[in-house]
């Protein structure tokens, strides 16, 4: 059984505390699907309630730390070197539609570096966690990125920019390149779980533009601690700031970078 540090224990306890409310509310959403008004207000309040629980638990354990919360935004702490980055419900659209795929994501930043991450899928009871230098685990089993080294065997996850989002035509070029070179593409609707699944070796890679820090902070650390690579889609290192993510196992990160860059180049030429 892997040893857990005090800080990761705090993060896990917070996730476990918020999860039953989400699971309960998810059950209610399934009933609300048939009502005229639809469940969207209800989902918003489930999301806010989960964030309140997470915030209270984390603040109780480490009162001085600040926060970056998806819903409440920035909360300054007296300890300016530590900050929690929290997405109380990643996969909101799935939740809203009664699709059982969503997660809580919590990361801890120390001096602007992500040092710990927890992603919890409460419906499957899958707890993904990582600490800087301490490896990544799924329910106490060490995680390692997949060893598939051929794009032709690679299963790649992605997020599709929806109505009104920028860069849709660029995205279609990327998608065309990936779908014609890889064995499969998945869009399951939770970026946090997409990254956790790369860390767990379920996917060979994942790319999505324009994500937010709370979607990816924990997952980036997880992929790296599981032996994978994470960069911006063009290879840059400012992934948390830009939100343009390319994560992959150690053997396929480079080929995927090249594939996406070539898709861009072709586009530029037409
Ligand atoms: C979303 C999910 C989704 C991704 C979106 C995110 P939310 O987060 O991670 O997979 O494609 O870009 O905004 O809104 O469900 O917390
Ligand atoms: Ca999110
Ligand atoms: Ca969210």
């Amino acid at each position: 059984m892997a040893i857990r540090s005090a800080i990761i224990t705090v993060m896990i306890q917070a996730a476990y505390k918020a999860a039953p409310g989400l699971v309960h509310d998810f059950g209610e959403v399934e009933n609300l699907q048939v009502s005229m008004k639809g469940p969207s207000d209800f989902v918003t309040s489930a999301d806010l309630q989960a964030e309140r629980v997470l915030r209270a638990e984390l603040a109780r354990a480490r009162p001085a730390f600040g926060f970056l919360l998806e819903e409440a935004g920035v909360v300054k702490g007296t300890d300016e070197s530590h900050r929690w980055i929290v997405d109380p419900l990643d996969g909101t659209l799935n939740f809203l539609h009664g699709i059982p795929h969503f997660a809580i994501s919590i990361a801890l930043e120390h001096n602007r570096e992500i040092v710990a991450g927890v992603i919890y899928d409460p419906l499957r009871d899958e707890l993904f966690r990582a600490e800087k230098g301490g490896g990544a685990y799924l329910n106490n089993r060490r995680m390692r990125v997949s060893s598939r080294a051929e794009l032709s065997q690679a299963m790649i996850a992605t997020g599709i920019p929806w109505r009104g989002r920028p860069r849709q035509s660029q995205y279609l070029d990327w998608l065309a390149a990936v779908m014609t070179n890889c064995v499969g593409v998945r869009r399951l609707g939770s970026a946090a779980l997409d990254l956790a699944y790369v860390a767990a070796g379920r996917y060979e890679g994942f790319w999505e533009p324009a994500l937010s820090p709370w979607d990816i902070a924990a997952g980036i650390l997880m992929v790296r601690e599981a032996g994978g690579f994470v960069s911006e889609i063009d290879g840059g290192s400012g992934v948390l700031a830009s939100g343009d993510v390319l994560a992959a196992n150690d053997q396929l990160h480079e080929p995927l970078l090249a594939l996406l860059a070539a898709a861009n180049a072709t586009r530029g030429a037409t």
Side-chain angles (χ1 to χ4, degrees):
M1 159 115 172
I3 296 164
R4 292 175 176 178
S5 73
I7 204 74
I8 215 87
T9 303
V10 163
M11 297 163 77
I12 293 170
Q13 294 309 337
Y16 282 169
K17 194 87 183 244
L22 281 181
V23 171
H24 170 268
D25 291 348
F26 182 69
E28 294 295 305
V29 166
E30 289 178 313
N31 299 330
L32 288 170
Q33 291 294 349
V34 290
S35 81
M36 282 300 279
K37 187 158 172 268
S40 58
D41 292 348
F42 182 80
V43 171
T44 309
S45 75
D47 195 346
L48 289 170
Q49 177 56 19
E51 187 173 284
R52 275 193 290 272
V53 173
L54 291 166
R55 183 176 168 180
E57 283 300 303
L58 296 169
R60 196 168 56 81
R62 294 292 184 277
F65 292 10
F67 284 90
L68 173 61
L69 299 148
E70 181 180 9
E71 307 300 336
V74 173
V75 179
K76 273 204 175 285
T78 50
D79 172 353
E80 297 206 347
S81 67
H82 285 97
R83 181 165 83 146
W84 301 111
I85 303 179
V86 177
D87 189 341
L89 172 56
D90 187 61
T92 321
L93 210 50
N94 283 341
F95 196 99
L96 179 63
H97 286 256
I99 297 167
H101 188 77
F102 56 86
I104 292 167
S105 176
I106 308 170
L108 177 64
E109 203 179 51
H110 182 219
N111 293 328
R112 309 227 156 268
E113 187 186 21
I114 307 298
V115 293
V118 163
I119 296 171
Y120 183 49
D121 172 347
L123 296 178
R124 295 185 183 85
D125 193 21
E126 287 194 323
L127 181 82
F128 302 86
R129 66 184 164 95
E131 272 189 276
K132 181 131 184 68
Y137 293 82
L138 164 52
N139 291 343
N140 295 322
R141 222 181 48 244
R142 187 95 189 219
M143 285 196 287
R144 169 84 202 147
V145 290
S146 101
S147 55
R148 290 194 181 88
E150 302 294 328
L151 278 179
S152 60
Q153 296 174 0
M155 172 80 98
I156 306 298
T158 187
I160 301 172
W162 60 93
R163 184 165 49 94
R165 300 274 281 189
R167 293 191 279 165
Q168 290 182 331
S169 67
Q170 181 181 34
Y171 181 84
L172 287 174
D173 292 333
W174 285 330
L175 181 61
V178 173
M179 66 187 255
T180 50
N181 283 279
C182 300
V183 78
V185 179
R186 294 288 181 271
R187 197 296 189 242
L188 296 192
S190 162
L193 286 175
D194 290 337
L195 287 163
Y197 283 18
V198 173
R202 294 173 178 173
Y203 295 136
E204 276 61 53
F206 164 67
W207 97 100
E208 181 168 350
L211 288 161
S212 298
W214 45 82
D215 300 318
I216 55 177
I220 290 172
L221 179 67
M222 230 159 262
V223 171
R224 289 182 173 150
E225 287 295 324
F229 293 130
V230 184
S231 69
E232 290 179 275
I233 296 171
D234 65 2
S237 59
V239 56
L240 204 61
S242 70
D244 290 348
V245 181
L246 172 62
N249 75 23
D250 45 338
Q251 315 209 56
L252 286 175
H253 185 265
E254 198 62 46
L256 276 169
L257 256 184
L259 188 66
L260 296 171
N264 276 340
T266 316
R267 180 166 192 267
T270 54

